[in-house]
Amino acid sequence: KPVAWGYEGDIGPCNWHKYFPKAGGKRQSPIDIDTSATQYDGSFKPLRIHYDSHMCSSLTNNGHTFCMSVNSDQCNLSGGPLEDKYRLLQFHCHWGSDDTKGSEHTVDGHQYAAELHLVHWNTDKFKSADEAIEKNQGIAVLTAFIKAGKEHRGWNHVLSHFKDIKKVQGTSTVNEDFNPKCLLPENQTDYWTYEGSLTTPPCHESVRFIIFKEVVEVSSEQLAQFRSLCVCSSRKRDTGEDEHLVDNFRPIQPLNGRVVKASFQ
Ligand SMILES: Cc1cc(C)cc(S(N)(=O)=O)c1
Ligand SMILES: [Zn+2]
């Protein structure tokens, strides 16, 4: 029977380690990026992000976030700090109950309104994503910070399916021409990178994070749509309304001597 976990109370992040021991490990995510302590690495090749848009995908509410699964072998990531080729598996976001919080990583202590994770698995070293998710160098997550500002037209292609996944385990098939590359910032040469973990249980220490410096803008109304998703517990609050999925970000974790590299000076 899977162990329930969440973002508040007894099943919250402070207790994850009791059932998911990796959560108490030495290379956990997210972290604060202290820009005065990052180290420029001039050896990185250009990031190669090749996604096609004819990929069939489905959008699911897994009770912790929305997850757009992708099953195209044409969506690949390589270069930058990566030694191998990685394939896009899914993307999802983390957000907060208002625009002042929501990202998992922070920059010089600043928290953004949300954070996009494009999750890829190492197809050179492993035979399946399920295997890669547990292994060092198995996963690479392209990460973009999101702040409230002007509307983002690309995000509407995802948000338009939210009505089908309001309830937990709701799934919607997405067959339109949608290329998630449009969700990334224009500047894809300036990023920070470090070795960390899945930011939700089981918190496997298998992730290379690549975090773009440029912040993406979406409108406050679009952010409010993120918050409209309902959680798996969705136990009725005393007001009787469904609980909304809010603050699904993990607090920052100890750096434990890790160095965050920068692709820019
Ligand atoms: C549980 C989990 C699985 C995957 C593939 C990715 C993550 S995250 N939030 O670190 O991107 C979490
Ligand atoms: Zn994530």
Side-chain angles (χ1 to χ4, degrees):
K1 183 171 172 312
V3 173
W5 60 270
Y7 288 95
E8 54 184 12
D10 294 347
I11 59 170
C14 300
N15 289 329
W16 288 355
H17 67 95
K18 291 176 183 168
Y19 288 100
F20 305 98
K22 306 271 181 59
K26 290 281 178 234
R27 53 169 275 192
Q28 289 291 293
S29 294
I31 58 167
D32 176 52
I33 297 167
D34 172 351
T35 58
S36 70
T38 58
Q39 278 182 20
Y40 169 63
D41 186 325
S43 76
F44 294 153
K45 300 185 197 64
L47 259 188
R48 296 160 49 86
I49 309 172
H50 298 297
Y51 295 160
D52 73 355
S53 50
H54 311 292
M55 55 189 171
C56 169
S57 50
S58 66
L59 188 67
T60 301
N61 172 351
N62 65 18
H64 307 294
T65 179
F66 64 86
C67 186
M68 178 79 89
S69 62
V70 169
N71 58 11
S72 161
D73 52 4
Q74 308 300 314
C75 295
N76 294 301
L77 168 70
S78 60
L82 302 170
E83 291 162 16
D84 298 315
K85 191 162 95 173
Y86 290 73
R87 180 179 305 166
L88 182 61
L89 176 68
Q90 51 107 323
F91 66 86
H92 63 272
C93 279
H94 303 264
W95 58 85
S97 44
D98 61 60
D99 295 358
T100 66
K101 54 184 172 170
S103 67
E104 298 212 289
H105 293 86
T106 54
V107 181
D108 295 333
H110 178 80
Q111 190 172 22
Y112 292 93
E115 184 169 322
L116 166 66
H117 287 159
L118 284 153
V119 178
H120 308 71
W121 62 280
N122 187 328
T123 52
D124 284 346
K125 281 201 164 71
F126 304 108
K127 291 193 288 297
S128 74
D130 285 347
E131 182 191 359
I133 204 168
E134 302 179 359
K135 302 287 194 331
N136 183 34
Q137 297 189 334
I139 298 290
V141 178
L142 284 186
T143 299
F145 293 118
I146 294 173
K147 68 179 179 186
K150 61 183 192 302
E151 182 187 9
H152 191 297
R153 312 289 295 277
W155 268 108
N156 289 332
H157 291 284
V158 179
L159 293 169
S160 63
H161 294 273
F162 268 37
K163 56 190 175 310
D164 307 331
I165 63 166
K166 278 264 184 280
K167 288 294 169 208
V168 178
Q169 310 314 347
T171 296
S172 164
T173 302
V174 177
N175 278 320
E176 63 193 88
D177 265 7
F178 174 70
N179 189 331
K181 204 168 173 189
C182 74
L183 304 179
L184 294 177
E186 279 168 28
N187 177 345
Q188 295 170 17
T189 52
D190 293 356
Y191 55 81
W192 298 288
T193 184
Y194 79 99
E195 293 191 324
S197 74
L198 303 182
T199 65
T200 68
C203 300
H204 292 308
E205 298 187 326
S206 56
V207 183
R208 158 69 60 176
F209 273 97
I210 295 170
I211 304 167
F212 293 113
K213 183 182 70 172
E214 185 183 318
V215 182
V216 170
E217 285 189 26
V218 305
S219 69
S220 267
E221 292 73 22
Q222 289 177 306
L223 279 166
Q225 284 187 268
F226 282 6
R227 300 181 193 115
S228 70
L229 287 183
C230 302
V231 289
C232 51
S233 58
S234 73
R235 63 184 175 286
K236 299 278 182 220
R237 282 189 194 281
D238 45 19
T239 56
E241 101 242 18
D242 267 354
E243 250 196 309
H244 280 160
L245 216 177
V246 287
D247 289 358
N248 58 354
F249 59 89
R250 185 188 192 185
I252 54 173
Q253 303 298 307
L255 197 53
N256 292 322
R258 288 174 283 176
V259 172
V260 178
K261 298 277 182 68
S263 70
F264 60 97
Q265 283 180 312

